[in-house]
Amino acid sequence: MTVTAKPDAGADSGDLAALGYSQQLHRGLGPFASFASGFSFVSVLTTVFQLFILGFAFGGPAYIWTWPLVFIGQFAVALVFAELAARYPIAGAIYQWSRRVSTDPVGWMAGWLMQIGYIISVAAIAIALQAVLPEVWSGFQLVGGDPSPTSPSGALNAILLGSICIALCVVIASFGVTKMAAITRVGVTFEIAGVILVIVLLFAHAQRGPSVVFETNGVQGGGSYVFPFLASMLMAAYVMYGFDSAAELSEETNDPRRTAPKAITRCMLISALGGGLLILAALMAAPSITGPELGTQGIAWVVTSQLGETLGRVVLAIVAISIFSAALAISASATRVMFSMARDGLLPFSKALAHVSPRTHTPILPGVVVGVLSIGVLLINLGQTSVFATVTSVSVVIVYLAYLFVTVPLLWHRLRGNRAHAPDAAYFTLGRWGLPVNLVAVVFGAFLLINVGWPRAAVYDPSGQGWVLQYSALLSVVVAVGLGLVAYRVMRRQRERAAARVE
């Protein structure tokens, strides 16, 4: 792995022009803002707090070993993406990379899938506010009643809080990337400080030693622990994605060929370290490792029971800040994918969606569309919280599939010795490690896709509503790809007719 000297800052616009695009977006982000974009998307404080229950319920304390395993596979993907970020520093990263290492139809499908995954992810992270804000202050329960996210009043309030969060993200993003990045940086600073604070305090209140990570709580019954372990891996798989969002802002980042690869890799390394220590600290500090509370309330229960209500609320307030920062970062990524595809004339109303505000130098309409669609996804939670959890799981499957649309074609080029898409050694390259790392990224990515999408009733249909929900991941992928093929065909015909009229 090689990272070398920084090129002239004035070359950024020239690099973009060489790739076929003029500089329209405001280029004013530095290294920390780029890192903050990826770190906010992964948001270990938010996601580990939110999803600890999932891993623990399936695998018991020993599920923590899924964390380093998933990290190894996803870090291989991150390294491949880091090379591509240095080679192709363009907004709409996954879409742009895929179409360049493969074909335009494959790239379009990758962008289509990422757009769907991002929009659902915005809704999923925004709705998490319901599990935090009413605990900080009861006034955040706007509709009264039971604040539990699974209750009718809690589900309705979750929609309201999530919609407010998304609307604020749209407004902030419309003022330009510099202001948006400033808020993201504040959120990341609070999140890192919060992670360190929680880890230190929980370790200081440890009730047992680190050997707890070898206990399973008997979740396997009389059978093998392999299947519960594989199911518990979903927690880490749900957390460790979105690191590519650091590359989505490449056209707005100074020296992106050097900055984006570092942001992607640092995001993964810091997230993996912080998240792993947070899980370990919670397991060691929990008042009971076998009681129902840890499996139903998760880390929030450990924090409030061990640190007291006041300090617990402070931590939850930091989590709320992290959630908002994550929603802002994810919506920004979704906006850049939509803008990038529209700029290539590949979406309905492309001309309007590709318009960049002359005042803020940011694409405003795509942000509004992403916000409206994300709020639409939130409405699924209206009296159907188990369905929303299923939809969230589906979004992860769709994003992992989109990743393979990049790593698989690139591996094919490496195996054939095709150097057309080779990374520029002047910025970031894996060198001779490129082929084995790419191979790991593909194999592990395919394994995670299958594992996350496997039709487990406990994941996709916990309330037993029927086989449609249980097989929703597979069905959703088939529907998303099918609709994508139809949409691409329609858009291609429209472009051909438009080109014919010009001639």
Side-chain angles (χ1 to χ4, degrees), residues 37-101:
S37 176
F39 189 81
S40 291
F41 194 127
V42 177
S43 190
V44 288
L45 187 60
T46 300
T47 50
V48 171
F49 257 76
Q50 186 181 11
L51 299 169
F52 175 92
I53 299 170
L54 178 66
F56 186 83
F58 281 121
Y63 98 89
I64 191 174
W65 294 106
T66 64
W67 189 262
L69 288 177
V70 172
F71 166 72
I72 291 172
Q74 289 299 84
F75 192 58
V77 177
L79 289 173
V80 171
F81 286 180
E83 279 195 327
L84 289 169
R87 180 73 175 82
Y88 304 110
I90 317 174
I94 300 298
Y95 153 68
Q96 291 284 357
W97 300 339
S98 181
R99 66 182 284 259
R100 281 170 164 75
V101 301

Short mmCIF file of all heavy atoms in Angstrom, two decimals, residues 37-101:
data_model
loop_
_atom_site.label_atom_id
_atom_site.label_comp_id
_atom_site.label_asym_id
_atom_site.label_seq_id
_atom_site.Cartn_x
_atom_site.Cartn_y
_atom_site.Cartn_z
N SER A 37 -17.68 12.65 6.70
CA SER A 37 -18.78 12.17 5.87
C SER A 37 -18.91 10.65 5.97
O SER A 37 -20.01 10.12 6.18
CB SER A 37 -18.54 12.57 4.41
OG SER A 37 -19.54 12.03 3.57
N GLY A 38 -17.79 9.94 5.84
CA GLY A 38 -17.83 8.48 5.94
C GLY A 38 -18.09 8.00 7.34
O GLY A 38 -18.88 7.07 7.56
N PHE A 39 -17.47 8.65 8.32
CA PHE A 39 -17.63 8.22 9.71
C PHE A 39 -19.06 8.46 10.19
O PHE A 39 -19.62 7.65 10.93
CB PHE A 39 -16.65 8.97 10.61
CG PHE A 39 -16.59 8.45 12.02
CD1 PHE A 39 -15.84 7.33 12.33
CD2 PHE A 39 -17.30 9.08 13.04
CE1 PHE A 39 -15.79 6.84 13.63
CE2 PHE A 39 -17.25 8.60 14.34
CZ PHE A 39 -16.49 7.48 14.63
N SER A 40 -19.66 9.56 9.75
CA SER A 40 -21.04 9.84 10.14
C SER A 40 -21.99 8.81 9.56
O SER A 40 -22.99 8.45 10.19
CB SER A 40 -21.45 11.24 9.66
OG SER A 40 -20.75 12.23 10.36
N PHE A 41 -21.72 8.35 8.35
CA PHE A 41 -22.59 7.34 7.73
C PHE A 41 -22.53 6.05 8.54
O PHE A 41 -23.56 5.48 8.90
CB PHE A 41 -22.14 7.09 6.29
CG PHE A 41 -23.15 6.34 5.46
CD1 PHE A 41 -23.58 6.85 4.24
CD2 PHE A 41 -23.67 5.13 5.88
CE1 PHE A 41 -24.51 6.18 3.46
CE2 PHE A 41 -24.60 4.43 5.11
CZ PHE A 41 -25.01 4.96 3.90
N VAL A 42 -21.33 5.56 8.83
CA VAL A 42 -21.19 4.33 9.62
C VAL A 42 -21.74 4.56 11.02
O VAL A 42 -22.48 3.73 11.56
CB VAL A 42 -19.71 3.90 9.68
CG1 VAL A 42 -19.55 2.65 10.55
CG2 VAL A 42 -19.18 3.62 8.27
N SER A 43 -21.36 5.67 11.65
CA SER A 43 -21.91 6.12 12.94
C SER A 43 -22.00 5.00 13.97
O SER A 43 -23.08 4.56 14.35
CB SER A 43 -23.30 6.75 12.72
OG SER A 43 -23.75 7.38 13.89
N VAL A 44 -20.84 4.55 14.45
CA VAL A 44 -20.82 3.40 15.36
C VAL A 44 -21.59 3.66 16.65
O VAL A 44 -22.22 2.75 17.20
CB VAL A 44 -19.38 2.97 15.70
CG1 VAL A 44 -18.72 2.32 14.50
CG2 VAL A 44 -18.55 4.14 16.21
N LEU A 45 -21.55 4.89 17.17
CA LEU A 45 -22.27 5.17 18.40
C LEU A 45 -23.77 4.96 18.20
O LEU A 45 -24.45 4.35 19.03
CB LEU A 45 -22.00 6.61 18.86
CG LEU A 45 -22.58 6.98 20.24
CD1 LEU A 45 -21.99 6.10 21.32
CD2 LEU A 45 -22.32 8.45 20.55
N THR A 46 -24.27 5.42 17.07
CA THR A 46 -25.70 5.26 16.78
C THR A 46 -26.06 3.82 16.47
O THR A 46 -26.96 3.24 17.08
CB THR A 46 -26.08 6.13 15.56
OG1 THR A 46 -25.81 7.49 15.86
CG2 THR A 46 -27.54 5.96 15.21
N THR A 47 -25.33 3.22 15.54
CA THR A 47 -25.70 1.89 15.06
C THR A 47 -25.43 0.79 16.07
O THR A 47 -26.20 -0.16 16.18
CB THR A 47 -24.99 1.58 13.73
OG1 THR A 47 -23.58 1.85 13.87
CG2 THR A 47 -25.54 2.45 12.61
N VAL A 48 -24.33 0.90 16.81
CA VAL A 48 -24.05 -0.12 17.82
C VAL A 48 -25.08 -0.03 18.95
O VAL A 48 -25.58 -1.05 19.44
CB VAL A 48 -22.61 0.01 18.36
CG1 VAL A 48 -22.40 -0.90 19.56
CG2 VAL A 48 -21.60 -0.34 17.27
N PHE A 49 -25.43 1.19 19.36
CA PHE A 49 -26.49 1.36 20.35
C PHE A 49 -27.80 0.75 19.83
O PHE A 49 -28.51 0.07 20.57
CB PHE A 49 -26.70 2.85 20.64
CG PHE A 49 -26.11 3.30 21.94
CD1 PHE A 49 -24.74 3.51 22.06
CD2 PHE A 49 -26.90 3.52 23.06
CE1 PHE A 49 -24.17 3.93 23.25
CE2 PHE A 49 -26.35 3.94 24.25
CZ PHE A 49 -24.98 4.14 24.36
N GLN A 50 -28.09 1.01 18.56
CA GLN A 50 -29.36 0.61 17.98
C GLN A 50 -29.42 -0.90 17.71
O GLN A 50 -30.49 -1.52 17.88
CB GLN A 50 -29.58 1.38 16.68
CG GLN A 50 -30.93 1.17 16.03
CD GLN A 50 -31.05 1.97 14.73
OE1 GLN A 50 -30.07 2.51 14.22
NE2 GLN A 50 -32.25 2.05 14.19
N LEU A 51 -28.30 -1.50 17.30
CA LEU A 51 -28.32 -2.88 16.80
C LEU A 51 -27.67 -3.90 17.71
O LEU A 51 -27.64 -5.09 17.37
CB LEU A 51 -27.65 -2.91 15.42
CG LEU A 51 -28.33 -2.06 14.35
CD1 LEU A 51 -27.45 -1.96 13.11
CD2 LEU A 51 -29.69 -2.63 13.99
N PHE A 52 -27.13 -3.47 18.84
CA PHE A 52 -26.52 -4.40 19.79
C PHE A 52 -27.50 -5.54 20.12
O PHE A 52 -27.11 -6.71 20.19
CB PHE A 52 -26.13 -3.67 21.07
CG PHE A 52 -25.60 -4.55 22.15
CD1 PHE A 52 -24.23 -4.79 22.27
CD2 PHE A 52 -26.45 -5.15 23.07
CE1 PHE A 52 -23.75 -5.62 23.28
CE2 PHE A 52 -25.97 -5.97 24.08
CZ PHE A 52 -24.62 -6.21 24.18
N ILE A 53 -28.77 -5.18 20.28
CA ILE A 53 -29.80 -6.16 20.64
C ILE A 53 -29.89 -7.27 19.61
O ILE A 53 -30.05 -8.45 19.95
CB ILE A 53 -31.17 -5.47 20.79
CG1 ILE A 53 -31.13 -4.43 21.90
CG2 ILE A 53 -32.28 -6.48 21.07
CD1 ILE A 53 -32.37 -3.54 21.95
N LEU A 54 -29.77 -6.92 18.33
CA LEU A 54 -29.89 -7.90 17.26
C LEU A 54 -28.80 -8.97 17.37
O LEU A 54 -29.09 -10.17 17.33
CB LEU A 54 -29.80 -7.20 15.91
CG LEU A 54 -29.87 -8.09 14.67
CD1 LEU A 54 -31.24 -8.73 14.56
CD2 LEU A 54 -29.57 -7.27 13.40
N GLY A 55 -27.55 -8.53 17.49
CA GLY A 55 -26.46 -9.49 17.60
C GLY A 55 -26.53 -10.32 18.86
O GLY A 55 -26.34 -11.54 18.83
N PHE A 56 -26.82 -9.67 19.99
CA PHE A 56 -26.86 -10.37 21.27
C PHE A 56 -28.01 -11.38 21.32
O PHE A 56 -27.86 -12.47 21.86
CB PHE A 56 -27.01 -9.35 22.41
CG PHE A 56 -26.93 -9.96 23.78
CD1 PHE A 56 -25.70 -10.21 24.37
CD2 PHE A 56 -28.08 -10.28 24.48
CE1 PHE A 56 -25.62 -10.78 25.64
CE2 PHE A 56 -28.02 -10.84 25.74
CZ PHE A 56 -26.78 -11.09 26.32
N ALA A 57 -29.15 -11.02 20.74
CA ALA A 57 -30.30 -11.92 20.77
C ALA A 57 -30.02 -13.21 20.02
O ALA A 57 -30.44 -14.29 20.44
CB ALA A 57 -31.53 -11.22 20.18
N PHE A 58 -29.29 -13.13 18.92
CA PHE A 58 -29.00 -14.32 18.13
C PHE A 58 -27.81 -15.11 18.67
O PHE A 58 -27.84 -16.34 18.69
CB PHE A 58 -28.70 -13.94 16.68
CG PHE A 58 -29.91 -13.66 15.87
CD1 PHE A 58 -30.09 -12.42 15.27
CD2 PHE A 58 -30.89 -14.62 15.68
CE1 PHE A 58 -31.21 -12.15 14.51
CE2 PHE A 58 -32.02 -14.37 14.92
CZ PHE A 58 -32.18 -13.12 14.33
N GLY A 59 -26.75 -14.40 19.08
CA GLY A 59 -25.50 -15.10 19.39
C GLY A 59 -25.02 -15.03 20.81
O GLY A 59 -23.99 -15.64 21.13
N GLY A 60 -25.71 -14.30 21.70
CA GLY A 60 -25.20 -14.17 23.06
C GLY A 60 -23.91 -13.36 23.07
O GLY A 60 -23.51 -12.77 22.05
N PRO A 61 -23.21 -13.30 24.21
CA PRO A 61 -21.99 -12.49 24.30
C PRO A 61 -20.93 -12.83 23.24
O PRO A 61 -20.21 -11.95 22.77
CB PRO A 61 -21.47 -12.79 25.71
CG PRO A 61 -22.69 -13.18 26.47
CD PRO A 61 -23.56 -13.91 25.50
N ALA A 62 -20.85 -14.08 22.85
CA ALA A 62 -19.82 -14.50 21.89
C ALA A 62 -20.02 -13.93 20.50
O ALA A 62 -19.15 -14.06 19.64
CB ALA A 62 -19.75 -16.03 21.82
N TYR A 63 -21.15 -13.28 20.28
CA TYR A 63 -21.38 -12.69 18.96
C TYR A 63 -20.36 -11.60 18.65
O TYR A 63 -20.19 -11.22 17.47
CB TYR A 63 -22.81 -12.14 18.87
CG TYR A 63 -22.96 -10.66 19.12
CD1 TYR A 63 -22.86 -9.74 18.08
CD2 TYR A 63 -23.18 -10.16 20.41
CE1 TYR A 63 -23.00 -8.38 18.31
CE2 TYR A 63 -23.33 -8.80 20.64
CZ TYR A 63 -23.23 -7.91 19.59
OH TYR A 63 -23.37 -6.56 19.81
N ILE A 64 -19.66 -11.11 19.65
CA ILE A 64 -18.67 -10.06 19.44
C ILE A 64 -17.61 -10.48 18.42
O ILE A 64 -17.02 -9.64 17.74
CB ILE A 64 -18.00 -9.66 20.78
CG1 ILE A 64 -17.18 -8.38 20.60
CG2 ILE A 64 -17.14 -10.80 21.32
CD1 ILE A 64 -16.60 -7.84 21.89
N TRP A 65 -17.39 -11.81 18.28
CA TRP A 65 -16.37 -12.28 17.33
C TRP A 65 -16.80 -12.07 15.88
O TRP A 65 -15.96 -12.15 14.97
CB TRP A 65 -16.05 -13.75 17.59
CG TRP A 65 -15.41 -13.95 18.93
CD1 TRP A 65 -15.97 -14.47 20.05
CD2 TRP A 65 -14.06 -13.59 19.28
NE1 TRP A 65 -15.07 -14.47 21.09
CE2 TRP A 65 -13.89 -13.94 20.65
CE3 TRP A 65 -13.00 -13.03 18.60
CZ2 TRP A 65 -12.68 -13.71 21.32
CZ3 TRP A 65 -11.80 -12.81 19.27
CH2 TRP A 65 -11.65 -13.16 20.62
N THR A 66 -18.07 -11.80 15.64
CA THR A 66 -18.48 -11.47 14.28
C THR A 66 -17.95 -10.10 13.86
O THR A 66 -17.81 -9.83 12.66
CB THR A 66 -20.02 -11.47 14.14
OG1 THR A 66 -20.58 -10.42 14.95
CG2 THR A 66 -20.60 -12.81 14.59
N TRP A 67 -17.69 -9.26 14.84
CA TRP A 67 -17.23 -7.89 14.55
C TRP A 67 -15.90 -7.87 13.79
O TRP A 67 -15.81 -7.27 12.71
CB TRP A 67 -17.16 -7.09 15.85
CG TRP A 67 -16.92 -5.63 15.66
CD1 TRP A 67 -15.73 -4.98 15.75
CD2 TRP A 67 -17.89 -4.63 15.32
NE1 TRP A 67 -15.89 -3.63 15.52
CE2 TRP A 67 -17.21 -3.39 15.25
CE3 TRP A 67 -19.26 -4.66 15.09
CZ2 TRP A 67 -17.85 -2.20 14.95
CZ3 TRP A 67 -19.91 -3.47 14.78
CH2 TRP A 67 -19.21 -2.26 14.71
N PRO A 68 -14.84 -8.53 14.30
CA PRO A 68 -13.58 -8.51 13.54
C PRO A 68 -13.68 -9.25 12.21
O PRO A 68 -13.00 -8.89 11.25
CB PRO A 68 -12.58 -9.17 14.49
CG PRO A 68 -13.40 -9.96 15.45
CD PRO A 68 -14.67 -9.19 15.60
N LEU A 69 -14.52 -10.29 12.13
CA LEU A 69 -14.65 -11.03 10.88
C LEU A 69 -15.27 -10.16 9.79
O LEU A 69 -14.78 -10.10 8.66
CB LEU A 69 -15.51 -12.29 11.09
CG LEU A 69 -14.86 -13.43 11.89
CD1 LEU A 69 -15.86 -14.57 12.08
CD2 LEU A 69 -13.62 -13.94 11.16
N VAL A 70 -16.35 -9.48 10.13
CA VAL A 70 -16.99 -8.59 9.15
C VAL A 70 -16.06 -7.43 8.80
O VAL A 70 -15.99 -7.01 7.64
CB VAL A 70 -18.33 -8.06 9.70
CG1 VAL A 70 -18.91 -6.98 8.78
CG2 VAL A 70 -19.33 -9.20 9.86
N PHE A 71 -15.30 -6.94 9.78
CA PHE A 71 -14.37 -5.85 9.51
C PHE A 71 -13.34 -6.26 8.45
O PHE A 71 -13.05 -5.49 7.53
CB PHE A 71 -13.65 -5.42 10.78
CG PHE A 71 -12.45 -4.56 10.51
CD1 PHE A 71 -12.59 -3.26 10.07
CD2 PHE A 71 -11.16 -5.07 10.65
CE1 PHE A 71 -11.49 -2.46 9.79
CE2 PHE A 71 -10.05 -4.29 10.37
CZ PHE A 71 -10.21 -2.98 9.94
N ILE A 72 -12.79 -7.48 8.58
CA ILE A 72 -11.78 -7.92 7.62
C ILE A 72 -12.34 -7.90 6.20
O ILE A 72 -11.70 -7.39 5.26
CB ILE A 72 -11.28 -9.34 7.98
CG1 ILE A 72 -10.47 -9.30 9.28
CG2 ILE A 72 -10.43 -9.92 6.85
CD1 ILE A 72 -10.11 -10.67 9.82
N GLY A 73 -13.54 -8.45 6.03
CA GLY A 73 -14.13 -8.47 4.70
C GLY A 73 -14.46 -7.09 4.18
O GLY A 73 -14.17 -6.76 3.02
N GLN A 74 -15.05 -6.26 5.03
CA GLN A 74 -15.44 -4.92 4.59
C GLN A 74 -14.24 -3.99 4.43
O GLN A 74 -14.29 -3.06 3.61
CB GLN A 74 -16.46 -4.33 5.57
CG GLN A 74 -17.83 -4.98 5.49
CD GLN A 74 -18.46 -4.83 4.13
OE1 GLN A 74 -18.19 -5.63 3.21
NE2 GLN A 74 -19.29 -3.83 3.96
N PHE A 75 -13.19 -4.24 5.19
CA PHE A 75 -11.99 -3.40 5.00
C PHE A 75 -11.35 -3.71 3.65
O PHE A 75 -10.78 -2.81 3.02
CB PHE A 75 -11.00 -3.64 6.13
CG PHE A 75 -9.88 -2.63 6.16
CD1 PHE A 75 -10.15 -1.27 6.28
CD2 PHE A 75 -8.56 -3.02 6.06
CE1 PHE A 75 -9.13 -0.33 6.30
CE2 PHE A 75 -7.53 -2.10 6.09
CZ PHE A 75 -7.81 -0.74 6.21
N ALA A 76 -11.45 -4.95 3.20
CA ALA A 76 -10.96 -5.29 1.87
C ALA A 76 -11.74 -4.51 0.82
O ALA A 76 -11.18 -3.98 -0.14
CB ALA A 76 -11.08 -6.80 1.62
N VAL A 77 -13.07 -4.43 0.99
CA VAL A 77 -13.89 -3.64 0.08
C VAL A 77 -13.48 -2.17 0.15
O VAL A 77 -13.36 -1.49 -0.88
CB VAL A 77 -15.39 -3.79 0.43
CG1 VAL A 77 -16.24 -2.90 -0.49
CG2 VAL A 77 -15.83 -5.23 0.31
N ALA A 78 -13.26 -1.67 1.36
CA ALA A 78 -12.87 -0.28 1.54
C ALA A 78 -11.55 0.03 0.84
O ALA A 78 -11.39 1.10 0.24
CB ALA A 78 -12.76 0.05 3.03
N LEU A 79 -10.60 -0.90 0.90
CA LEU A 79 -9.31 -0.68 0.24
C LEU A 79 -9.47 -0.64 -1.29
O LEU A 79 -8.82 0.16 -1.96
CB LEU A 79 -8.34 -1.79 0.64
CG LEU A 79 -7.82 -1.74 2.08
CD1 LEU A 79 -7.00 -2.98 2.41
CD2 LEU A 79 -6.98 -0.48 2.32
N VAL A 80 -10.32 -1.51 -1.82
CA VAL A 80 -10.59 -1.49 -3.26
C VAL A 80 -11.23 -0.15 -3.64
O VAL A 80 -10.85 0.48 -4.64
CB VAL A 80 -11.52 -2.65 -3.65
CG1 VAL A 80 -11.99 -2.50 -5.11
CG2 VAL A 80 -10.81 -3.98 -3.47
N PHE A 81 -12.17 0.29 -2.83
CA PHE A 81 -12.83 1.58 -3.10
C PHE A 81 -11.85 2.74 -2.96
O PHE A 81 -11.96 3.74 -3.68
CB PHE A 81 -14.01 1.78 -2.15
CG PHE A 81 -15.22 0.93 -2.46
CD1 PHE A 81 -16.36 1.01 -1.67
CD2 PHE A 81 -15.22 0.07 -3.55
CE1 PHE A 81 -17.48 0.24 -1.98
CE2 PHE A 81 -16.32 -0.71 -3.85
CZ PHE A 81 -17.47 -0.62 -3.07
N ALA A 82 -10.91 2.62 -2.04
CA ALA A 82 -9.92 3.68 -1.86
C ALA A 82 -9.08 3.85 -3.12
O ALA A 82 -8.77 4.99 -3.53
CB ALA A 82 -9.02 3.37 -0.66
N GLU A 83 -8.71 2.73 -3.75
CA GLU A 83 -7.98 2.82 -5.01
C GLU A 83 -8.81 3.51 -6.08
O GLU A 83 -8.31 4.37 -6.82
CB GLU A 83 -7.60 1.42 -5.49
CG GLU A 83 -6.38 0.83 -4.83
CD GLU A 83 -5.86 -0.38 -5.58
OE1 GLU A 83 -6.67 -1.12 -6.17
OE2 GLU A 83 -4.63 -0.58 -5.58
N LEU A 84 -10.07 3.14 -6.17
CA LEU A 84 -10.94 3.73 -7.19
C LEU A 84 -11.22 5.21 -6.91
O LEU A 84 -11.37 6.00 -7.83
CB LEU A 84 -12.26 2.95 -7.25
CG LEU A 84 -12.13 1.54 -7.85
CD1 LEU A 84 -13.41 0.75 -7.62
CD2 LEU A 84 -11.81 1.61 -9.34
N ALA A 85 -11.29 5.57 -5.62
CA ALA A 85 -11.49 6.97 -5.26
C ALA A 85 -10.32 7.83 -5.73
O ALA A 85 -10.48 8.99 -6.09
CB ALA A 85 -11.68 7.11 -3.75
N ALA A 86 -9.11 7.25 -5.70
CA ALA A 86 -7.92 7.96 -6.17
C ALA A 86 -7.88 8.02 -7.70
O ALA A 86 -7.39 8.97 -8.28
CB ALA A 86 -6.66 7.29 -5.64
N ARG A 87 -8.43 6.97 -8.33
CA ARG A 87 -8.41 6.89 -9.80
C ARG A 87 -9.54 7.70 -10.43
O ARG A 87 -9.36 8.36 -11.46
CB ARG A 87 -8.54 5.41 -10.20
CG ARG A 87 -8.54 5.16 -11.71
CD ARG A 87 -7.15 5.34 -12.29
NE ARG A 87 -7.12 4.99 -13.70
CZ ARG A 87 -7.49 5.79 -14.70
NH1 ARG A 87 -7.92 7.01 -14.42
NH2 ARG A 87 -7.41 5.40 -15.95
N TYR A 88 -10.72 7.67 -9.82
CA TYR A 88 -11.90 8.35 -10.35
C TYR A 88 -12.56 9.19 -9.26
O TYR A 88 -13.55 8.78 -8.65
CB TYR A 88 -12.92 7.34 -10.89
CG TYR A 88 -12.37 6.39 -11.94
CD1 TYR A 88 -12.19 5.04 -11.65
CD2 TYR A 88 -12.05 6.85 -13.21
CE1 TYR A 88 -11.71 4.17 -12.61
CE2 TYR A 88 -11.56 5.99 -14.17
CZ TYR A 88 -11.39 4.65 -13.88
OH TYR A 88 -10.90 3.79 -14.83
N PRO A 89 -12.04 10.39 -8.99
CA PRO A 89 -12.61 11.24 -7.93
C PRO A 89 -13.85 12.01 -8.42
O PRO A 89 -13.80 13.21 -8.71
CB PRO A 89 -11.46 12.20 -7.61
CG PRO A 89 -10.71 12.32 -8.91
CD PRO A 89 -10.84 11.00 -9.60
N ILE A 90 -14.98 11.27 -8.50
CA ILE A 90 -16.20 11.83 -9.07
C ILE A 90 -17.38 11.59 -8.13
O ILE A 90 -17.46 10.54 -7.48
CB ILE A 90 -16.53 11.20 -10.44
CG1 ILE A 90 -15.27 11.07 -11.30
CG2 ILE A 90 -17.59 12.00 -11.17
CD1 ILE A 90 -15.52 10.32 -12.59
N ALA A 91 -18.31 12.54 -8.06
CA ALA A 91 -19.54 12.35 -7.30
C ALA A 91 -20.34 11.19 -7.90
O ALA A 91 -20.28 10.95 -9.11
CB ALA A 91 -20.38 13.63 -7.34
N GLY A 92 -21.10 10.50 -7.05
CA GLY A 92 -21.81 9.32 -7.51
C GLY A 92 -20.89 8.13 -7.59
O GLY A 92 -20.93 7.35 -8.55
N ALA A 93 -20.05 7.98 -6.57
CA ALA A 93 -18.91 7.07 -6.58
C ALA A 93 -19.21 5.67 -7.12
O ALA A 93 -18.61 5.23 -8.11
CB ALA A 93 -18.32 6.99 -5.18
N ILE A 94 -20.11 4.93 -6.47
CA ILE A 94 -20.36 3.55 -6.87
C ILE A 94 -20.86 3.48 -8.31
O ILE A 94 -20.42 2.64 -9.10
CB ILE A 94 -21.38 2.89 -5.92
CG1 ILE A 94 -20.87 2.89 -4.48
CG2 ILE A 94 -21.68 1.45 -6.36
CD1 ILE A 94 -19.61 2.12 -4.26
N TYR A 95 -21.76 4.37 -8.66
CA TYR A 95 -22.28 4.44 -10.03
C TYR A 95 -21.16 4.72 -11.02
O TYR A 95 -21.01 4.02 -12.04
CB TYR A 95 -23.36 5.51 -10.12
CG TYR A 95 -23.53 6.11 -11.49
CD1 TYR A 95 -24.02 5.36 -12.55
CD2 TYR A 95 -23.19 7.45 -11.73
CE1 TYR A 95 -24.16 5.92 -13.82
CE2 TYR A 95 -23.34 8.02 -12.99
CZ TYR A 95 -23.82 7.25 -14.03
OH TYR A 95 -23.95 7.80 -15.28
N GLN A 96 -20.33 5.72 -10.74
CA GLN A 96 -19.26 6.11 -11.66
C GLN A 96 -18.19 5.03 -11.77
O GLN A 96 -17.70 4.73 -12.86
CB GLN A 96 -18.65 7.44 -11.21
CG GLN A 96 -19.57 8.64 -11.34
CD GLN A 96 -19.70 9.11 -12.78
OE1 GLN A 96 -19.07 8.58 -13.69
NE2 GLN A 96 -20.54 10.12 -13.00
N TRP A 97 -17.81 4.45 -10.64
CA TRP A 97 -16.79 3.40 -10.66
C TRP A 97 -17.27 2.18 -11.44
O TRP A 97 -16.54 1.61 -12.24
CB TRP A 97 -16.40 2.99 -9.24
CG TRP A 97 -15.85 4.11 -8.41
CD1 TRP A 97 -15.30 5.27 -8.85
CD2 TRP A 97 -15.79 4.16 -6.98
NE1 TRP A 97 -14.90 6.05 -7.79
CE2 TRP A 97 -15.18 5.39 -6.63
CE3 TRP A 97 -16.17 3.28 -5.96
CZ2 TRP A 97 -14.97 5.76 -5.31
CZ3 TRP A 97 -15.96 3.65 -4.64
CH2 TRP A 97 -15.36 4.88 -4.32
N SER A 98 -18.52 1.79 -11.18
CA SER A 98 -19.05 0.59 -11.82
C SER A 98 -19.13 0.74 -13.34
O SER A 98 -18.75 -0.16 -14.09
CB SER A 98 -20.44 0.27 -11.25
OG SER A 98 -20.97 -0.91 -11.85
N ARG A 99 -19.59 1.88 -13.82
CA ARG A 99 -19.73 2.06 -15.26
C ARG A 99 -18.38 2.14 -15.95
O ARG A 99 -18.26 1.82 -17.14
CB ARG A 99 -20.56 3.31 -15.59
CG ARG A 99 -19.94 4.63 -15.19
CD ARG A 99 -20.89 5.80 -15.52
NE ARG A 99 -20.90 6.08 -16.95
CZ ARG A 99 -20.22 7.10 -17.49
NH1 ARG A 99 -19.50 7.91 -16.72
NH2 ARG A 99 -20.27 7.32 -18.78
N ARG A 100 -17.34 2.52 -15.20
CA ARG A 100 -16.02 2.61 -15.79
C ARG A 100 -15.28 1.28 -15.79
O ARG A 100 -14.54 0.99 -16.71
CB ARG A 100 -15.19 3.69 -15.07
CG ARG A 100 -15.56 5.10 -15.53
CD ARG A 100 -14.94 6.18 -14.69
NE ARG A 100 -15.01 7.48 -15.37
CZ ARG A 100 -16.10 8.21 -15.48
NH1 ARG A 100 -17.22 7.79 -14.93
NH2 ARG A 100 -16.08 9.36 -16.13
N VAL A 101 -15.46 0.47 -14.75
CA VAL A 101 -14.77 -0.82 -14.72
C VAL A 101 -15.60 -1.90 -15.40
O VAL A 101 -15.11 -3.01 -15.63
CB VAL A 101 -14.44 -1.27 -13.27
CG1 VAL A 101 -13.55 -0.25 -12.59
CG2 VAL A 101 -15.71 -1.50 -12.45
#
